[in-house]
Amino acid sequence: QGRPVSWEEGIESIHSGSHLEAPSVFVTPELDGWVLVASSAYFDVVSDAEPDRLRRFVGDTAAQLRTEVQFFATHRVVEGHAWAMADARGIRRAYFYLGEVDECLLDVGEKTRAEEALKCFAPGSTTVPDESTVMQIARAWSVDPTELAERFPQVAPGYLGTIARATSGDAEIET
């Protein structure tokens, strides 16, 4: 069952929770029209052997919710960095770079203005996406999760729950 928690507690819980059985998920209240869902388990969406899973996950979620959905993930150990955007009609943009193999594993849709403004997408650049790239894109598209406390100092608590693993390997949120 989900329970109300501050985002400090919510973020701490998703980073310290078990990744094997039921990883934590933190859901914020509405922030500038957005609801953020954070879990370290969501990197699994992009880190498996099938990079196109990101496109399906974000596209299917947007279609089911009938609204725009954005996805951001970063993993410091493997230097994996991903972002995606979809609406009820389907995926508009999805990108996944895995530094561990120095390869772009997914690049779907037109680059957004936010991406084009970054060094890693400049013609001839040897710069690769990193965690700050993901946060810059999140800030340009909607809300930078690293700035929540500064931008929203008096926000209501969010909810902490767990993610149940379905037998198909897809994640379902239990709150």
Side-chain angles (χ1 to χ4, degrees):
Q1 291 291 50
R3 63 183 173 91
V5 297
S6 69
W7 48 38
E8 291 83 7
E9 184 180 351
I11 296 301
E12 174 63 29
S13 294
I14 65 170
H15 289 298
S16 65
S18 165
H19 301 292
L20 300 176
E21 301 222 3
S24 296
V25 61
F26 176 62
V27 181
T28 70
E30 186 176 317
L31 307 168
D32 281 353
W34 294 95
V35 173
L36 308 182
V37 179
S39 176
S40 58
Y42 284 127
F43 192 78
D44 293 348
V45 169
V46 295
S47 65
D48 68 357
E50 187 186 356
D52 197 51
R53 186 173 176 202
L54 168 64
R55 182 170 67 160
R56 290 192 321 273
F57 176 76
V58 176
D60 291 351
T61 302
Q64 288 173 357
L65 296 175
R66 295 186 175 108
T67 191
E68 183 173 316
V69 170
Q70 297 175 1
F71 177 95
F72 303 97
T74 187
H75 194 290
R76 293 176 182 165
V77 175
V78 297
E79 285 299 323
H81 310 290
W83 53 88
M85 178 191 312
D87 58 26
R89 294 179 310 257
I91 199 78
R92 293 187 351 228
R93 178 72 176 132
Y95 184 88
F96 175 39
Y97 171 80
L98 186 58
E100 186 175 62
V101 295
D102 190 26
E103 190 174 339
C104 175
L105 300 177
L106 183 67
D107 189 353
V108 175
E110 300 272 332
K111 288 182 187 69
T112 64
R113 287 185 197 158
E115 292 170 285
E116 289 174 349
L118 299 169
K119 284 187 230 175
C120 59
F121 292 109
S125 174
T126 58
T127 304
V128 296
D130 61 15
E131 186 172 293
S132 77
T133 306
V134 177
M135 297 308 134
Q136 289 172 358
I137 293 169
R139 184 180 314 112
W141 286 5
S142 55
V143 176
D144 178 345
T146 65
E147 298 175 346
L148 294 181
E150 296 83 27
R151 284 194 57 205
F152 307 99
Q154 302 297 323
V155 73
Y159 286 89
L160 183 66
T162 58
I163 297 177
R165 300 258 181 220
T167 55
S168 68
D170 291 333
E172 295 178 2
I173 299 174
E174 290 184 352
T175 58

